[in-house]
Amino acid sequence: RAAAMEVYPDHGLEVFVPAWNEMRRGDVTVLLLDGKEVDRHVIFDDAEVGDRVTLFVAPRHLATGSKELTYSVKAGNNAWETFTPPVKIYVKLEIPGGQDTDEGPGHSNLFMHIPEEVVQGIVDSETADKGVPITIRNESPTGEPYPDIAIGDCCECSWGGVFISSAPVTAEQINDPAGNPITILVTRNFIEKAGDTDEVGLAVAFRVRDIVHNYSEDWCKETRIKVSLGTALLTAPIAKQAVNNVLDLDSLNDDAILAQIFTKAPEFEP
């Protein structure tokens, strides 16, 4: 979508035609989309000779679907010569998830389900061994999992900054989401990479990427998950001599810096 409509919104998809042999003033090149002319350029200036030609496919000519793109050149008195084979492209203008109407963080149309015992509890070693399933579904949760879903979409989940992608969406998941849910399994490997958390937990959310790398306009609203695999985490040390988190080394002279680390039960006991 960006290449077709947003990078050059007034002109459309930018296409470069390489310079051809015996290029000269008066030569004409025509851009063809599915065999129909969509743009042309005449070499008017000697400064253009030997350089590539820039042409555009205007947004009005583009719709979602497979296309063939090529060009023809008329050099001097020679006959028109068409570049073959044409370049096959796929155009997709719809954004997965549709328009986000929420002003704040979190896409208005993207929802996920995480088991309640995980959300309300804590991911321990036993839970991590099983993995945490995240189901992408409609808020209801009936109907299509999200607006403008398409075959080949991938749902990309962030588990505390560690990314896990779903398998590409299939037709069965679109037509029968209840019987064929889109599920991302966060395995122990990913959970360990993100690590244990404090009481605030880590943020879990997802976004959607389609086959032409259009992304949903935002991630879904995050869910906070607490994790404790038995890996004790220590908070950052604090220098005892610091005042308002500022440590004046000149005032210490030759005294050693005393670092303090705060711990809590049950991971740490006196």
Side-chain angles (χ1 to χ4, degrees):
R1 179 184 175 90
M5 302 180 67
E6 296 174 0
V7 177
Y8 298 102
D10 295 331
H11 300 290
L13 177 65
E14 185 179 35
V15 179
F16 297 129
V17 174
W20 49 89
N21 295 331
E22 300 181 3
M23 194 177 190
R24 72 198 76 178
R25 282 193 302 167
D27 288 357
V28 183
T29 181
V30 171
L31 186 63
L32 303 169
L33 181 69
D34 289 337
K36 297 180 181 179
E37 179 181 336
V38 291
D39 198 10
R40 69 166 49 207
H41 180 76
V42 179
I43 306 299
F44 285 114
D45 197 307
D46 287 336
E48 297 179 81
V49 175
D51 287 343
R52 69 186 185 190
V53 175
T54 301
L55 298 169
F56 290 92
V57 182
R60 68 179 181 276
H61 297 302
L62 294 169
T64 296
S66 298
K67 309 290 181 184
E68 289 190 346
L69 193 63
T70 189
Y71 64 92
S72 290
V73 172
K74 190 175 191 309
N77 294 322
N78 296 326
W80 285 94
E81 184 176 355
T82 300
F83 173 82
T84 57
V87 175
K88 296 182 183 296
I89 63 173
Y90 186 80
V91 178
K92 186 172 182 293
L93 303 181
E94 298 79 18
I95 298 294
Q99 183 179 4
D100 177 20
T101 57
D102 282 354
E103 294 183 0
H107 199 298
S108 56
N109 298 324
L110 297 182
F111 301 93
M112 63 182 177
H113 173 75
I114 302 174
E116 193 66 18
E117 62 270 20
V118 173
V119 177
Q120 298 301 325
I122 189 167
V123 176
D124 56 17
S125 187
E126 182 181 353
T127 304
D129 286 340
K130 298 176 182 176
V132 177
I134 299 176
T135 304
I136 311 304
R137 68 185 196 187
N138 193 291
E139 185 180 22
S140 36
T142 60
E144 291 185 341
Y146 52 85
D148 292 320
I149 188 172
I151 293 173
D153 286 357
C154 285
C155 297
E156 183 180 69
C157 172
S158 171
W159 178 276
V162 176
F163 299 101
I164 314 104
S165 289
S166 71
V169 170
T170 65
E172 291 75 17
Q173 290 173 318
I174 298 174
N175 299 326
D176 182 18
N180 302 277
I182 301 171
T183 302
I184 300 171
L185 182 64
V186 184
T187 61
R188 185 183 187 97
N189 178 51
F190 294 109
I191 296 171
E192 288 180 342
K193 283 183 179 180
D196 287 2
T197 70
D198 55 16
E199 291 301 312
V200 177
L202 53 76
V204 179
F206 82 95
R207 64 178 177 178
V208 186
R209 181 189 73 244
D210 67 19
I211 60 173
V212 297
H213 285 236
N214 291 320
Y215 284 87
S216 54
E217 293 184 348
D218 199 355
W219 297 75
C220 73
K221 291 180 175 64
E222 69 175 37
T223 298
R224 308 294 299 194
I225 303 293
K226 294 189 286 292
V227 180
S228 178
L229 301 184
T231 303
L233 294 181
L234 295 173
T235 58
I238 299 173
K240 185 177 181 179
Q241 296 96 327
V243 178
N244 295 327
N245 289 326
V246 176
L247 182 64
D248 185 355
L249 296 178
D250 293 333
S251 67
L252 291 176
N253 297 318
D254 293 328
D255 293 342
I257 299 173
L258 180 61
Q260 296 176 316
I261 300 175
F262 293 93
T263 63
K264 61 182 180 179
E267 289 87 357
F268 297 94
E269 297 290 350

